[in-house]
Amino acid sequence: MEEQNGEIIAGKNPVLEALRSGRDMNKVWIAEGVKKSGVNELLDLARERGVIVQFVPKKKVDQLSSANHQGIVASVAAYKYAELEDLFAAAANKQEDPFFLILDELEDPHNLGSIMRTADAIGAHGIIIPKRRSVSLTAVVAKASTGAIEHVPVVRVNNLAQTIDELKERGVWIAGTDAKGSADYRKMDATLPLAIIIGSEGKGMGRLLKEKCDFLYHLPMVGHVTSLNASVAAALLMYEVYRKRQEAIE
């Protein structure tokens, strides 16, 4: 099988976003039978960037990716992680107070992709993940993010607790979720420089990180389940920050 160095990404939107962002790309494969009218923008961008596009039998595309590729896959340079300074720079460039997500040992690539999608939608300045016991930036994450991976910087750190201490020293307040003895998330002061910790799918937020939180919030629940999916909880919290920051501007 013809293979390129780097990651294989699949699907029209992920490939389009990779091209739009100027990401280094080796080659694009499009299955024969895909309507050219539906990929005109993709073809134009590839031509502008000097990226080779090859029309091949669908079997070839199936070999390159088992994902729902919509007949389009690309080989791109491996995903690059940002530095913490990049996240502060992103906030400064927008003239906004920092707003970061800290993911505590999240393991499901679909959850990370979904969180990135919402983070891009509401204008979060970046995501922080640990190097160990955590999902990393992969093609599955890219597909789940529908292209947001190209726009949301992700920092991978050795020690989340130490990174939280550094954030605090730089004026960022830390919020987490806790079902017991915490405030309703709708009472959150979201206008501060803020980082929100999202716990892992199984265990939630670790004890050490919980102790470092300046604020603890819960999501009111009146049904029978005891917790929400990590990406759903993250989305609710992110949109609350977005809503309150928009109200503060108006």
Side-chain angles (χ1 to χ4, degrees):
M1 181 174 71
E2 179 187 359
E3 186 58 271
Q4 303 282 330
N5 293 326
E7 290 269 3
I8 293 291
I9 59 173
K12 180 181 174 182
N13 283 336
V15 174
L16 258 178
E17 289 300 333
L19 283 166
R20 287 173 181 151
S21 72
R23 179 107 172 273
D24 289 338
M25 187 172 290
N26 301 314
K27 191 174 183 178
V28 177
W29 294 269
I30 300 177
E32 292 166 352
V34 170
K35 289 184 179 179
K36 288 191 177 180
S37 60
V39 293
N40 279 337
E41 182 184 1
L42 191 153
L43 293 171
D44 289 343
L45 281 169
R47 195 177 302 115
E48 285 175 21
R49 308 264 189 279
V51 176
I52 297 167
V53 178
Q54 186 176 1
F55 285 86
V56 296
K58 182 177 178 293
K59 183 180 177 182
K60 168 70 174 178
V61 179
D62 290 338
Q63 288 176 332
L64 286 164
S65 174
S66 59
N68 177 21
H69 50 62
Q70 302 167 295
I72 302 168
V73 297
S75 170
V76 296
Y79 293 102
K80 293 179 181 176
Y81 291 93
E83 300 293 332
L84 197 58
E85 201 55 52
D86 297 326
L87 273 58
F88 281 97
N93 287 341
K94 292 182 178 179
Q95 297 183 310
E96 295 172 348
D97 283 322
F99 176 41
F100 310 143
L101 275 295
I102 299 171
L103 308 184
D104 183 16
E105 298 185 10
L106 206 70
E107 295 177 348
D108 187 334
H110 296 95
N111 275 339
L112 176 54
S114 180
I115 287 170
M116 295 184 84
R117 194 171 176 177
T118 308
D120 177 60
I122 63 96
H125 303 117
I127 293 172
I128 300 167
I129 62 173
K131 285 184 178 176
R132 298 180 60 197
R133 295 189 295 276
S134 172
V135 65
S136 55
L137 297 183
T138 66
V140 177
V141 173
K143 177 68 175 172
S145 80
T146 63
I149 197 169
E150 307 294 343
H151 306 290
V152 179
V154 176
V155 178
R156 194 160 61 158
V157 300
N158 288 316
N159 188 304
L160 279 182
Q162 289 178 4
T163 300
I164 287 171
D165 288 340
E166 182 180 344
L167 291 174
K168 287 186 162 195
E169 288 171 7
R170 299 185 67 168
V172 177
W173 297 79
I174 309 298
T177 56
D178 182 37
K180 299 174 184 175
S182 59
D184 188 313
Y185 82 106
R186 291 167 293 189
K187 293 185 168 68
M188 181 193 312
D189 183 350
T191 60
L192 302 165
L194 189 65
I196 294 180
I197 303 173
I198 304 298
S200 68
E201 294 89 355
K203 299 177 294 183
M205 183 171 47
R207 179 187 57 80
L208 179 59
L209 299 194
K210 187 180 292 186
E211 289 173 355
K212 289 183 176 291
C213 287
D214 299 300
F215 312 106
L216 288 171
Y217 299 106
H218 69 269
L219 300 162
M221 301 176 69
V222 297
H224 301 289
V225 297
T226 57
S227 64
L228 295 173
N229 172 278
S231 64
V232 173
L236 286 167
L237 292 163
M238 282 190 270
Y239 263 97
E240 186 66 7
V241 173
Y242 174 76
R243 183 180 72 82
K244 288 191 168 167
R245 288 192 172 194
Q246 288 299 112
E247 284 179 353
I249 293 170
E250 292 167 2

